[in-house]
Amino acid sequence: MNSKSSVLVVIDVQNGFLTEHSRPVVPIIVDLVQRWQTAGHATVFTRYLNFPGSPYERLMGWTQLRESPATDIVDALTPHVAKAAAVVDKTIYTLFNEEGAALVKEHGWSDLYICGIDTNSCVLKTAVDAFERDLTPWIVTDASASHSGPDVHDAGILLATKFIGRRQLVTQAQIPITP
């Protein structure tokens, strides 16, 4: 792993996405972020923000994550957010809105280690978008979850094998985190 070209992307680990299914992954993500940042590598956090009339509301009837505290990144990650290269606010599934795409390009990151909530949507979409931009996505499977449950997480993992390739799915133990 080249530390200059790699970034850890922590997707939507926000209060509003915590459920009995996703909450257990938070300490795993905190540990990964802490080790990653201690080794001197760049980290980006995303934060999903819903808005009135969004496609999520209009087409899915989903009106959550509109304001604090639901939109806040979980408290356990707050010390690490301050050390991040950026926090990208987004109203879409992926990191690759205008700001996120520019950030990746500006820093020259080619390897994106992606973890967070939800495996089946925002994590997967970010990985697929990275793949389609000729970048190298890595989904950290044990540092990702779905707030809807393990079956939905597993479905996201299955789809990821078809979209980006089985070799792009790693556990945090498989990531060579060295300074």
Side-chain angles (χ1 to χ4, degrees):
M1 179 182 83
N2 179 337
S3 67
K4 299 278 191 231
S5 64
S6 298
V7 63
L8 178 64
V9 182
V10 182
I11 304 287
D12 303 348
V13 185
Q14 298 167 254
N15 293 324
F17 286 124
L18 291 184
T19 66
E20 65 182 293
H21 306 296
S22 58
R23 191 171 279 109
V25 81
V26 172
I28 296 166
I29 294 169
V30 170
D31 177 66
L32 175 59
V33 170
Q34 184 172 1
R35 290 184 296 112
W36 187 271
Q37 289 181 336
T38 298
H41 305 307
T43 309
V44 170
F45 290 85
T46 68
R47 192 170 64 150
Y48 173 74
L49 307 172
N50 202 359
F51 61 92
S54 73
Y56 304 95
E57 177 183 279
R58 191 171 49 82
L59 301 174
M60 300 166 69
W62 190 71
T63 59
Q64 298 176 33
L65 272 90
R66 286 199 178 151
E67 56 191 42
S68 182
T71 58
D72 298 342
I73 293 173
V74 299
D75 288 344
L77 285 170
T78 301
H80 304 290
V81 170
K83 300 173 191 171
V87 175
V88 176
D89 286 340
K90 61 190 186 68
T91 58
I92 57 178
Y93 289 116
T94 181
L95 160 72
F96 290 96
N97 62 14
E98 190 174 313
E99 178 188 359
L103 187 67
V104 170
K105 184 176 181 177
E106 172 189 334
H107 287 276
W109 294 319
S110 58
D111 284 76
L112 283 72
Y113 290 85
I114 305 160
C115 66
I117 306 170
D118 279 321
T119 312
N120 54 290
S121 55
C122 298
V123 169
L124 178 61
K125 182 72 164 78
T126 297
V128 171
D129 287 354
F131 178 94
E132 289 183 340
R133 285 170 168 76
D134 200 26
L135 303 170
T136 305
W138 303 92
I139 294 178
V140 187
T141 59
D142 60 343
S144 299
S146 172
H147 78 276
S148 299
D151 291 346
V152 180
H153 166 79
D154 292 345
I157 295 298
L158 176 63
L159 289 173
T161 66
K162 300 300 181 187
F163 274 120
I164 65 170
R166 186 173 308 281
R167 292 185 312 215
Q168 300 316 115
L169 306 179
V170 295
T171 63
Q172 59 175 332
Q174 294 172 301
I175 304 170
I177 303 175
T178 56

